[in-house]
């Protein structure tokens, strides 16, 4: 029996309606800053530009080359954040060590993807703030399909700062029991088989096979890889014939991530009154 597909489009459409209503007549602009050499970033940034009008926002894209020295990259981020007409700013993640300091130049009230350490501190303490878009998208997807995390065993494969770590904190806030794994975890399949909800976010195409799941597992695929020019997730197609439900790649978490980013942008806009 094939798994129930947790499609992202209806979730994104639902978020879009709420954002448009909350935004009202106010105008806002998202600024994306990243490197032209990064195929994954270009794809994501372009998708935001295409989606912005659906939420009543504008999106400005700032692309730099890898030849730009770190100091000038930080200056670029700082300059864009100073613009009064820029409501929110996102900076390509992850950045190499030399460029990582750029996140400190994104003010908390414009940090719509929760990359500034001060924003992350709010998340850690469970305070009100702008939470990272992709982990938030995972929760919005689960909510839409009435998958409650309370008391559930959530296994997250991936310990990155962009998804794995913040998602673990956010799942804990919902009273889930959380296990965080990674590609170096011993006997990873056995741990994953014990999950009620298995979330993979490590960008290794086909890592999650049928040996990692049971017929009761809900699988959320956050992975993104490019294999032979095609977009792939972490979850192998054979899993779709085994589990209870799965979010596909493409078409699952991706559209919801874009929607939650504009949800955060709307929140930032209203907070900047």
């Amino acid at each position: 029996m094939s798994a129930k597909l947790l499609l992202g489009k209806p979730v994104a459409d639902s978020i879009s309606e709420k954002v448009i209503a909350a935004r009202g007549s106010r105008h806002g602009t998202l600024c994306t800053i990243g490197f032209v050499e990064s195929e994954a970033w270009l794809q994501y940034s372009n998708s935001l530009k295409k989606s912005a009008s659906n939420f009543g926002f504008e999106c400005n894209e700032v692309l730099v080359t890898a030849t730009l020295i770190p100091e000038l990259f930080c200056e670029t981020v700082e300059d864009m954040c100073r613009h009064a007409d820029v409501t929110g700013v996102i900076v390509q993640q992850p950045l190499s060590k030399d460029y990582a300091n750029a996140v400190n130049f994104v003010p908390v009230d414009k940090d719509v993807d929760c990359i500034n350490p001060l924003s992350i501190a709010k998340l850690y303490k469970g305070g009100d703030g702008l939470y990272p878009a992709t982990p938030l998208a995972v929760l919005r997807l689960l909510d839409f399909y009435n998958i409650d995390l309370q008391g559930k065993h959530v296994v997250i494969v991936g310990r990155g700062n962009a998804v794995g770590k913040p998602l673990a904190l956010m799942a804990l806030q919902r009273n889930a029991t959380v296990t965080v794994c990674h590609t170096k975890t011993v006997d990873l399949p056995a741990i994953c088989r014990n999950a009620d909800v298995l979330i993979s976010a490590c960008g290794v195409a086909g890592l999650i096979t049928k040996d990692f799941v049971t017929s009761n597992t809900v699988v959320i695929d956050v992975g993104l890889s490019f294999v032979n020019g095609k977009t792939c997730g972490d979850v192998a197609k054979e899993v779709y014939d085994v589990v209870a439900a799965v979010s596909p790649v493409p078409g699952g978490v991706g559209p919801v991530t874009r929607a939650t980013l504009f949800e955060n942008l709307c929140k930032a806009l209203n907070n900047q009154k």
Side-chain angles (χ1 to χ4, degrees), residues 158-174:
R159 54 184 169 178
N161 293 328
V163 182
K165 289 178 183 176
L167 182 54
L169 292 171
M170 293 161 74
L172 285 171
Q173 289 177 13
R174 295 192 170 204

Side-chain angles (χ1 to χ4, degrees), residues 29-35 41 44-49 59-63 73 76-77 80-81 86-93 95 102-103 106-107 110-116 130-134 257-258 260-262 264-265:
T29 300
L30 174 69
C31 178
T32 70
I33 306 171
F35 291 92
W41 174 255
Y44 182 47
S45 183
N46 286 335
S47 71
L48 292 175
K49 286 172 59 179
C59 182
N60 295 334
E61 184 180 44
V62 177
L63 293 173
F73 183 73
T76 299
V77 173
M80 295 310 303
C81 290
V86 171
T87 312
V89 174
I90 64 169
V91 180
Q92 179 179 329
Q93 296 294 303
L95 290 172
V103 301
V106 181
K110 295 186 177 185
D111 187 13
V112 291
D113 205 18
C114 192
I115 57 176
N116 186 305
L130 300 171
Y131 283 7
T134 302
T257 295
R258 293 190 290 274
T260 53
L261 194 66
F262 289 108
N264 278 348
L265 190 68

Side-chain angles (χ1 to χ4, degrees), residues 8 14 24 26 36 46 53 61 75 86 99-100 120 129 140 144 161 167 179 183 196 216 225 228 230 239-240 244 257:
S14 174
R26 305 189 72 219
V36 70
N46 286 335
S53 61
E61 184 180 44
E75 286 183 16
V86 171
Y99 293 86
I120 297 169
R140 293 286 184 265
F144 185 87
N161 293 328
L167 182 54
T179 300
T183 54
D196 297 304
N216 296 318
S225 304
N228 297 324
K230 294 184 178 180
V239 170
Y240 288 51
T257 295

Side-chain angles (χ1 to χ4, degrees), residues 6-8 11-12 15 44 113 131-145 162-163 167 170 174 199 220-222 247 252-261 263-264:
L6 306 178
L7 299 175
V11 189
I15 294 172
Y44 182 47
D113 205 18
Y131 283 7
T134 302
L136 187 58
V138 172
L139 298 184
R140 293 286 184 265
L141 188 75
L142 292 169
D143 289 342
F144 185 87
Y145 290 103
V163 182
L167 182 54
M170 293 161 74
R174 295 192 170 204
I199 304 168
I220 306 297
D221 192 351
V222 192
S247 68
V253 174
V256 190
T257 295
R258 293 190 290 274
T260 53
L261 194 66
E263 178 185 349
N264 278 348

Side-chain angles (χ1 to χ4, degrees), residues 100-101 103-106 108 111 114-123:
N101 191 50
V103 301
N104 295 303
F105 293 91
V106 181
V108 171
D111 187 13
C114 192
I115 57 176
N116 186 305
L118 294 176
S119 301
I120 297 169
K122 285 188 175 184
L123 168 61

